[in-house]
Amino acid sequence: MSSRPLFKVALAGLVLLVALGVVWWRGSTTTDDAGPPSPVAATPSAPLAATGNAAVVPPASAARPGPREEIPMPGCWEGLAALDQSATLESLHAAVAAAIQARDTALVAYLQERLTELVGNDPERALQLVAWAVKAAPPEPAIYLEALKAAPAVRHPRVTEKLLSVAEDRSLATPDRASALDALETQHRFTPETRGRLKAIALDDSADSAAWVATRTLGRVMKEDYERTGTYAPYWKDLLDIGTTSDDTAVRLLALEMPSYSDPLIDSGSIDALAKVMRTDRERDVREMAAFRLAVTEDPQKALAAYRDAFDGEHDLCVRWALLRFAVRAAGADALPLVEDFARKDPRLRQDYLDFKALYATGTTDFTRIWLGKKEHHDCVVEEGAPH
């Protein structure tokens, strides 16, 4: 067979495909009238809105031309404009329940933002959200408390007190207590009494995940207060107590990690407590985190002594590696004699000593730049929050 018949067959096939494409395109530019939507306020007005996608079906003349194209369509809710114009807490409350029932997460998110706007700086409205949260079934409590968290009224003393009371209520479900604690994270500062109550939750063995969230809340407000006023010491004292006394490993680890997000200089008085954690904590991750925390201190020489004391009693290579690298971070080139001693005691660390020695010999002093040039020789996971 010559190539000409093959060419004609190919050309005919191409023409057919083009024709089918035109028919499909014309069909896709028209839509079927599904009739008026059901009049349900603040809920999806038609099946297309509920899914957020409309399937364009090719006409019958183009039978099975291939996979159907899915064209995303914007959501549309009947009655939402009217709801916005005359919104009250009660109407939004009812709309949230309807949206949850319809499993419309986009509408729930929008209504949550509207609740925040409507609450504003009004403590009475804020307290109403808390009351609804306490009585509602999941996921409503988290929605109301997240809306409150973003409103200025959350910092009103009466609202703060109410959220603390909810967080302390052992009769409530742990996730609801945790949501109340989470709503406190946007405070600008905590009083000594408030810090004490949060610390008590963090150390409560029965609080489960609420203890972890209480610790995080202390740390996040510490960051806020530190950035606004330079105050961190009272919060750090509470976090250090939690990090050294909690029975929950995750809570201890988080308590020591939280200063990482503002990096204040650790005072000399905290070094002894961190040194004890490095020597005695039963969990490797916590010992490493204590070494990391100690690396940003106002007394590098005292920190080096703590690293030296911890090294001899430590047998985990990854923790020893943490002690070495954070000693370098704490004191820079002044740590090289100690690092050489570490490498002599544990030959697995010798190449690390040689790397740091060569890097500092170039004249670089900034630890971030030093670390960028450092090769990794150990299969150790760097804990969350630790820079490398």
Side-chain angles (χ1 to χ4, degrees):
M1 178 183 289
S2 67
S3 61
R4 186 174 298 276
L6 290 175
F7 176 78
K8 289 182 178 180
V9 172
L11 180 61
L14 178 61
V15 170
L16 177 60
L17 288 175
V18 171
L20 288 175
V22 170
V23 172
W24 178 87
W25 174 254
R26 287 176 177 173
S28 67
T29 59
T30 61
T31 56
D32 295 331
D33 186 0
S38 56
V40 180
T43 55
S45 60
L48 295 183
T51 63
N53 294 283
V56 178
V57 182
S61 60
R64 300 187 182 280
R68 294 187 303 174
E69 184 178 38
E70 297 286 336
I71 301 177
M73 299 292 288
C76 179
W77 299 282
E78 182 184 357
L80 190 58
L83 178 67
D84 270 343
Q85 292 174 0
S86 58
T88 64
L89 280 186
E90 288 71 19
S91 63
L92 292 177
H93 181 209
V96 166
I100 290 173
Q101 186 175 9
R103 298 186 178 183
D104 193 328
T105 56
L107 181 55
V108 169
Y110 174 78
L111 294 171
Q112 180 177 300
E113 291 179 0
R114 288 291 288 119
L115 282 169
T116 297
E117 294 172 0
L118 200 59
V119 169
N121 203 27
D122 188 333
E124 297 301 329
R125 292 178 175 179
L127 291 170
Q128 181 62 72
L129 286 190
V130 179
W132 284 336
V134 170
K135 296 178 182 178
E140 285 190 64
I143 293 167
Y144 299 136
L145 293 175
E146 190 68 24
L148 174 57
K149 178 181 178 179
V154 75
R155 289 181 284 275
H156 191 282
R158 289 168 55 205
V159 180
T160 301
E161 171 59 33
K162 184 61 178 178
L163 287 170
L164 271 171
S165 298
V166 172
E168 292 170 327
D169 190 345
R170 296 185 181 185
S171 68
L172 297 176
T174 298
D176 295 343
R177 296 176 66 189
S179 293
L181 290 162
D182 179 76
L184 288 167
E185 288 187 352
T186 52
Q187 302 292 308
H188 291 167
R189 62 180 297 271
F190 281 145
T191 65
E193 180 193 1
T194 300
R195 291 198 313 271
R197 292 166 70 179
L198 289 170
K199 179 181 174 182
I201 298 172
L203 292 174
D204 183 359
D205 294 339
S206 67
D208 296 326
S209 62
W212 190 91
V213 179
T215 305
R216 187 185 66 183
T217 298
L218 268 173
R220 288 187 172 172
V221 176
M222 176 182 71
K223 178 179 184 294
E224 180 72 17
D225 203 353
Y226 179 67
E227 292 176 350
R228 286 174 175 271
T229 69
T231 300
Y232 89 92
Y235 301 89
W236 168 235
K237 182 180 183 301
D238 291 332
L239 289 169
L240 186 57
D241 287 346
I242 295 168
T244 55
T245 60
S246 172
D247 289 331
D248 188 320
T249 299
V251 170
R252 294 199 311 280
L253 186 64
L254 182 65
L256 298 178
E257 179 187 352
M258 288 313 299
S260 307
Y261 302 100
S262 49
D263 269 347
L265 284 175
I266 298 302
D267 62 284
S268 180
S270 300
I271 293 178
D272 291 339
L274 290 169
K276 182 178 180 181
V277 174
M278 290 192 300
R279 295 193 311 269
T280 64
D281 198 279
R282 60 186 178 274
E283 297 294 336
R284 162 196 151 183
D285 291 349
V286 179
R287 299 197 301 277
E288 286 186 81
M289 186 59 71
F292 169 48
R293 179 78 292 110
L294 191 55
V296 183
T297 176
E298 64 185 18
D299 193 344
Q301 292 305 314
K302 187 175 181 180
L304 291 182
Y307 288 128
R308 179 185 295 109
D309 291 343
F311 189 88
D312 289 341
E314 181 59 64
H315 300 290
D316 187 293
L317 172 62
C318 290
V319 179
R320 281 189 160 187
W321 163 228
L323 296 171
L324 186 154
R325 71 180 182 272
F326 292 127
V328 174
R329 187 186 183 197
D334 290 343
L336 288 177
L338 177 63
V339 172
E340 184 179 16
D341 185 49
F342 287 171
R344 185 168 52 252
K345 293 177 178 178
D346 190 337
R348 295 173 295 180
L349 300 173
R350 177 165 178 74
Q351 190 57 53
D352 297 301
Y353 163 65
L354 294 175
D355 289 350
F356 279 125
K357 182 181 179 181
L359 288 165
Y360 278 107
T362 65
T364 303
T365 57
D366 180 67
F367 180 76
T368 300
R369 292 181 181 275
I370 291 289
W371 187 249
L372 288 174
K374 177 71 176 73
K375 294 181 180 179
E376 180 62 68
H377 304 296
H378 311 290
D379 185 18
C380 297
V381 176
V382 178
E383 300 303 329
E384 181 182 355
H388 48 120

